[in-house]
Amino acid sequence: MSGRVGDLSADQAAKLQQFKESLKDVSKDTYTDQHYLRFLRARNFNLKKSEDMFRKYVEWRSKHKMSTILEDHPLPEAMAKYWPRGDCGIDKEGHVVEIMNIGRVDVRGIMYSLKSSDREIVGLNIMEFLYAKAKRNSEKQGRYIEGITFIMDMEGLGVHILWKPFIALFNEMMVIMEQYYPETVHKVFITRPPAMFPLAYSLVRPFLDEATKKKIKVLKSGSKWKETLLKYIDEDQLPKHWGGSMVDPDGDPKCPSKIGPAGKVPESYYMKDVLFEEDAMTKIVINSGGTKMLKYEVRVPESAVRYVFKTDEGEIKFSIYKKTKGSDEKVFIKEEAKYNCHVIPVDGEVEAKELGFYVFCFENPSKIKSKTLSYQIEVIEADDESLETVELSGED
């Protein structure tokens, strides 16, 4: 039995009644059996765990005034304009199809355009918006349709997506979805994943429930992924760029009137709030005219290294080079340049496709003053489960 209305075992039906009885003190007329069953399924019909989850949900909605958040806290303009997403139609089962051009998002532009207070509520707004969209779809079709079908397009995905503040925001949205919007995901199709996709997925995977992971289908680049999408979505409900027949009135196959096109966020939107916690950084002193070499070994191919650094005063010279074991040859990944980083930290990511040592070189150009350097450098490697997920979920 699926644990849904009309498909309940005797035990599941009994637990549904017990669940509703235990929640009488917080129940509302708007809560339907379908609503309660989402929480029961999320906790495998364990009554205690389901009740704890539901009560936290009620408390959370009240605390954040979720019933009016879309009106009280609309998305910041930069996010609304440059977050590349939109819905194009419905799949063959009636679920809304939401397309996100994740590979093309300007992660730094988006994050620099959000105030600290914006970053706290943007995840709430997006999840409530998606949930409201699914609810309107059910009302439009005159039947209950649970969840949304997502197409996450990875075309253009690069090392920039690993930027720590953006990953933190994205994972915060995943936590909100799993804890307070169970069963929001019907299916997820990953299209055009590059070689580094397992690496990006490894940073998100720990925040997903097992049930959600099973709904993710990675369609390998070069495979017949468009034909696969058409097994689930009629061609007139899908833009031509993704294998359907839908085009904009001007013939654009990407349908930017429906799916927000990616683009660089203009700097006029930037707030430039500090996005890094300096307390988490390591501090070292570099003497006048001195150099510090920080070496990190990459043991897994198709990895990446991300970094952030700042000084207490004035500029510093910075470069990155790679060395392989048994060789003295230096291959520069980032040529030496001066950075005036005592006000706004310098941050970035570099691809580490090959094994070896990646050396971060900091030089104090001052001939008089020592400088304190604060830095955080992380080697990011895809874990075994992320690699297996990509391999097992591919479809030709």
Side-chain angles (χ1 to χ4, degrees):
M1 296 295 178
S2 67
R4 290 173 168 79
V5 171
D7 192 29
L8 298 174
S9 67
D11 181 61
Q12 289 172 340
K15 286 185 174 180
L16 172 60
Q17 293 308 311
Q18 293 176 55
F19 187 55
K20 291 163 64 176
E21 187 68 27
S22 68
L23 293 168
K24 273 189 173 181
D25 59 311
V26 294
S27 64
K28 295 181 180 180
D29 292 340
T30 53
Y31 295 160
T32 63
D33 284 355
Q34 288 98 335
H35 192 80
Y36 289 121
L37 284 167
R38 286 168 49 217
F39 288 83
L40 283 167
R41 289 197 306 274
R43 294 297 178 264
N44 296 313
F45 279 81
N46 181 302
L47 287 174
K48 185 180 185 309
K49 290 181 179 179
S50 298
E51 181 178 345
D52 287 346
M53 184 183 187
F54 198 94
R55 289 188 180 278
K56 287 178 182 177
Y57 157 80
V58 171
E59 181 182 353
W60 176 81
R61 288 193 68 84
S62 175
K63 176 183 176 181
H64 293 284
K65 298 181 173 62
M66 293 302 295
S67 60
T68 59
I69 194 168
L70 295 178
E71 296 79 20
D72 296 344
H73 299 284
L75 278 181
E77 186 176 344
M79 189 84 175
K81 281 187 174 182
Y82 295 97
W83 183 255
R85 53 136 302 274
D87 62 274
C88 57
I90 58 174
D91 66 16
K92 292 183 179 182
E93 297 176 279
H95 304 89
V96 172
V97 176
E98 178 85 2
I99 298 177
M100 294 188 182
N101 289 305
I102 294 295
R104 299 294 187 185
V105 65
D106 176 9
V107 296
R108 282 176 170 75
I110 290 291
M111 295 301 296
Y112 282 143
S113 302
L114 301 177
K115 296 181 292 187
S116 295
S117 56
D118 290 337
R119 294 194 289 270
E120 293 172 3
I121 60 92
V122 71
L124 310 184
N125 183 295
I126 289 175
M127 292 312 305
E128 186 69 8
F129 176 78
L130 290 173
Y131 182 71
K133 182 184 291 187
K135 185 178 179 180
R136 288 195 302 272
N137 180 50
S138 292
E139 293 169 351
K140 181 179 179 180
Q141 297 196 44
R143 60 191 178 99
Y144 182 72
I145 301 174
E146 188 174 77
I148 293 175
T149 291
F150 292 90
I151 298 174
M152 310 287 278
D153 196 336
M154 300 294 159
E155 184 182 30
L157 189 77
V159 70
H160 66 282
I161 203 73
L162 304 178
W163 192 45
K164 195 168 185 176
F166 177 75
I167 291 293
L169 176 67
F170 193 84
N171 284 340
E172 182 179 330
M173 286 191 281
M174 295 302 99
V175 169
I176 291 170
M177 179 186 74
E178 298 288 23
Q179 292 184 353
Y180 306 114
Y181 297 88
E183 304 293 316
T184 296
V185 172
H186 175 61
K187 283 187 175 70
V188 179
F189 295 101
I190 305 294
T191 62
R192 291 184 271 221
M196 69 159 292
F197 171 73
L199 184 60
Y201 179 60
S202 70
L203 298 177
V204 177
R205 183 184 58 77
F207 297 87
L208 301 176
D209 284 347
E210 290 304 315
T212 301
K213 294 175 190 175
K214 293 176 182 177
K215 297 174 181 178
I216 298 173
K217 186 177 288 291
V218 181
L219 307 182
K220 300 176 185 177
S221 296
S223 66
K224 298 179 180 179
W225 62 269
K226 292 184 179 180
E227 288 88 338
T228 299
L229 290 180
L230 291 175
K231 293 178 183 178
Y232 300 91
I233 307 166
D234 288 327
E235 65 174 16
D236 64 346
Q237 299 292 302
L238 192 63
K240 193 171 183 179
H241 184 69
W242 288 277
S245 60
M246 184 186 297
V247 296
D248 259 2
D250 63 356
D252 193 322
K254 293 185 178 180
C255 297
S257 65
K258 294 179 178 289
I259 315 301
K264 184 170 175 55
V265 179
E267 291 190 14
S268 57
Y269 283 108
Y270 286 11
M271 303 291 179
K272 295 195 175 179
D273 282 3
V274 175
L275 292 169
F276 304 96
E277 297 179 5
E278 193 167 347
D279 290 345
M281 295 185 185
T282 299
K283 297 180 186 295
I284 57 174
V285 175
I286 304 179
N287 294 328
S288 58
T291 299
K292 290 288 185 182
M293 317 284 276
L294 305 174
K295 183 168 67 174
Y296 297 83
E297 185 175 7
V298 171
R299 301 181 177 89
V300 178
E302 300 295 344
S303 295
V305 187
R306 61 186 180 190
Y307 60 88
V308 56
F309 64 86
K310 68 185 292 293
T311 60
D312 60 339
E313 182 181 352
E315 65 186 15
I316 198 157
K317 292 181 179 179
F318 172 62
S319 61
I320 307 173
Y321 62 84
K322 181 179 77 70
K323 291 180 66 177
T324 56
K325 288 184 178 181
S327 172
D328 292 328
E329 182 185 4
K330 297 179 181 179
V331 177
F332 276 86
I333 298 170
K334 196 172 187 64
E335 297 289 342
E336 184 179 80
K338 288 184 179 180
Y339 293 87
N340 199 349
C341 56
H342 66 285
V343 178
I344 298 176
V346 171
D347 61 88
E349 307 80 28
V350 293
E351 291 183 86
K353 294 183 177 181
E354 300 174 354
L355 308 186
F357 294 100
Y358 290 73
V359 183
F360 289 68
C361 182
F362 297 93
E363 180 183 342
N364 179 3
S366 173
K367 302 301 181 185
I368 303 173
K369 294 182 178 180
S370 296
K371 293 178 182 176
T372 297
L373 175 75
S374 300
Y375 71 91
Q376 189 174 45
I377 301 173
E378 303 170 273
V379 177
I380 306 171
E381 301 171 346
D383 55 35
D384 291 341
E385 186 173 342
S386 295
L387 293 169
E388 290 171 3
T389 298
V390 173
E391 181 65 27
L392 294 176
S393 299
E395 182 168 330
D396 293 327

